[in-house]
Amino acid sequence: MKFEKPKQKLTLKESMKELMKSKELKAMATMVFCYNVCVELTEVLWKSILRKQYPTKSLYMEYMANFSQTVGTVAFLLQLIAPGILNVFGWRGTAMIPPVTMGILAIGFFAAIIAGEDKIPLTQALLIGTVQNVANKVTKYSLFDPCKEMAYIPLGPDAKTKGKAAVDVLGARLGRSMGSASQQLLVFLVGGSSGSIVNCTPYIGACYITAIAMWSKAVGTLGKLFVTPEVKVDNTPKLESIGQAITIIKRIEDAKSEKRKNGNGKNQAKK
């Protein structure tokens, strides 16, 4: 009976070495890193507003239960149509749906918070944030993860083993850590006397947009793996053959017309 060897876990240094070998692996790590940064930046801010709106534990847990049910339902429905989306938009178009959707909703969420409760009620800001966090999770399960796994297919066997482990180590773990550390730093610098993360919303928004831009660029890099190269057909020999055929046909027509002229001249001479 054969036992499978346990998968070797890469250290941070080994992960860096693996990623440096391929620009495609670096692009994948950037995608995963930016996704986790974006989730961390919006999720903590959203939950801080949620706790403010629902201060008791029972109300908070009830809201989160409804949130989880919504995520499950929407994710299931989106997974049913995900193959059709991939067929219509291709890999690159499908991979761009998560950052574009998350980015648009996040901008609305940040804008609602920056506007203040005088202009936009807290309940509306919370609703936008909830929709945005649903999009975070739904697009990951249905579109982001499948596209990421597909990106390994054109690569070599090492990229599918060591490369995947490196992407998971640096992308997921470092992304969450970076998102959390940046928030803590912003709270310390611009959180004010209350140390509220809400005061940091403009700066969090700037970090978020930067991460979305890096993510989109990485998708463009990986999208080249799924572009069918155009085969240029050299039609010069065919054109030359056609030209020669036209020349021969013209000569035959000239010979016929010359023969007709000569025949008409002889007939006139006989008359």
Side-chain angles (χ1 to χ4, degrees), residues 42-50 64 109 126 129-130 133:
T42 52
E43 195 174 70
V44 175
L45 184 60
W46 169 65
K47 285 185 177 179
S48 68
I49 297 175
L50 180 59
M64 290 303 298
F109 179 48
L126 178 61
T130 302
N133 277 272

Side-chain angles (χ1 to χ4, degrees), residues 238-271:
K238 292 183 179 180
L239 293 175
E240 290 178 353
S241 299
I242 294 171
Q244 291 174 359
I246 292 173
T247 303
I248 293 171
I249 293 171
K250 189 176 181 181
R251 288 177 181 175
I252 293 172
E253 293 294 330
D254 291 342
K256 287 182 179 179
S257 60
E258 187 69 24
K259 189 175 180 180
R260 288 171 185 168
K261 288 180 180 179
N262 292 335
N264 292 333
K266 289 180 181 179
N267 293 332
Q268 290 178 358
K270 288 179 180 180
K271 290 179 180 180

Side-chain angles (χ1 to χ4, degrees), residues 97-143:
I97 292 176
V100 170
T101 304
M102 290 169 58
I104 292 173
L105 291 172
I107 290 173
F109 179 48
F110 295 140
I113 297 173
I114 294 171
E117 296 185 38
D118 296 335
K119 296 182 180 179
I120 299 179
L122 192 63
T123 52
Q124 292 185 10
L126 178 61
L127 177 61
I128 298 172
T130 302
V131 173
Q132 201 276 334
N133 277 272
V134 169
N136 287 353
K137 298 183 182 300
V138 167
T139 55
K140 180 183 187 297
Y141 301 146
S142 304
L143 301 175

Side-chain angles (χ1 to χ4, degrees), residues 5-109:
K5 294 182 179 180
K7 294 182 181 179
Q8 184 181 3
K9 293 184 179 180
L10 299 180
T11 63
L12 186 62
K13 186 177 180 181
E14 290 173 339
S15 300
M16 288 293 294
K17 287 182 179 180
E18 286 297 325
L19 294 181
M20 289 300 108
K21 294 178 182 178
S22 170
K23 66 178 182 179
E24 287 81 10
L25 287 178
K26 285 189 284 186
M28 280 187 225
T30 302
M31 283 177 57
V32 178
F33 172 82
C34 291
Y35 169 79
N36 284 279
V37 168
C38 290
V39 169
E40 191 70 22
L41 290 176
T42 52
E43 195 174 70
V44 175
L45 184 60
W46 169 65
K47 285 185 177 179
S48 68
I49 297 175
L50 180 59
R51 288 190 182 95
K52 186 177 180 181
Q53 187 70 16
Y54 298 97
T56 63
K57 185 176 180 180
S58 59
L59 291 175
Y60 178 85
M61 294 301 295
E62 183 182 354
Y63 193 94
M64 290 303 298
N66 293 330
F67 171 79
S68 299
Q69 289 178 357
T70 303
V71 169
T73 303
V74 178
F76 174 75
L77 295 175
L78 186 57
Q79 284 176 351
L80 294 178
I81 63 173
I85 295 174
L86 193 60
N87 289 333
V88 173
F89 297 102
W91 186 92
R92 185 173 180 176
T94 304
M96 279 299 297
I97 292 176
V100 170
T101 304
M102 290 169 58
I104 292 173
L105 291 172
I107 290 173
F109 179 48

Side-chain angles (χ1 to χ4, degrees), residues 149-169:
E149 296 302 320
M150 285 178 63
Y152 288 104
I153 296 174
L155 304 181
D158 288 340
K160 296 177 183 178
T161 54
K162 293 182 179 180
K164 190 175 187 302
V167 168
D168 292 338
V169 170

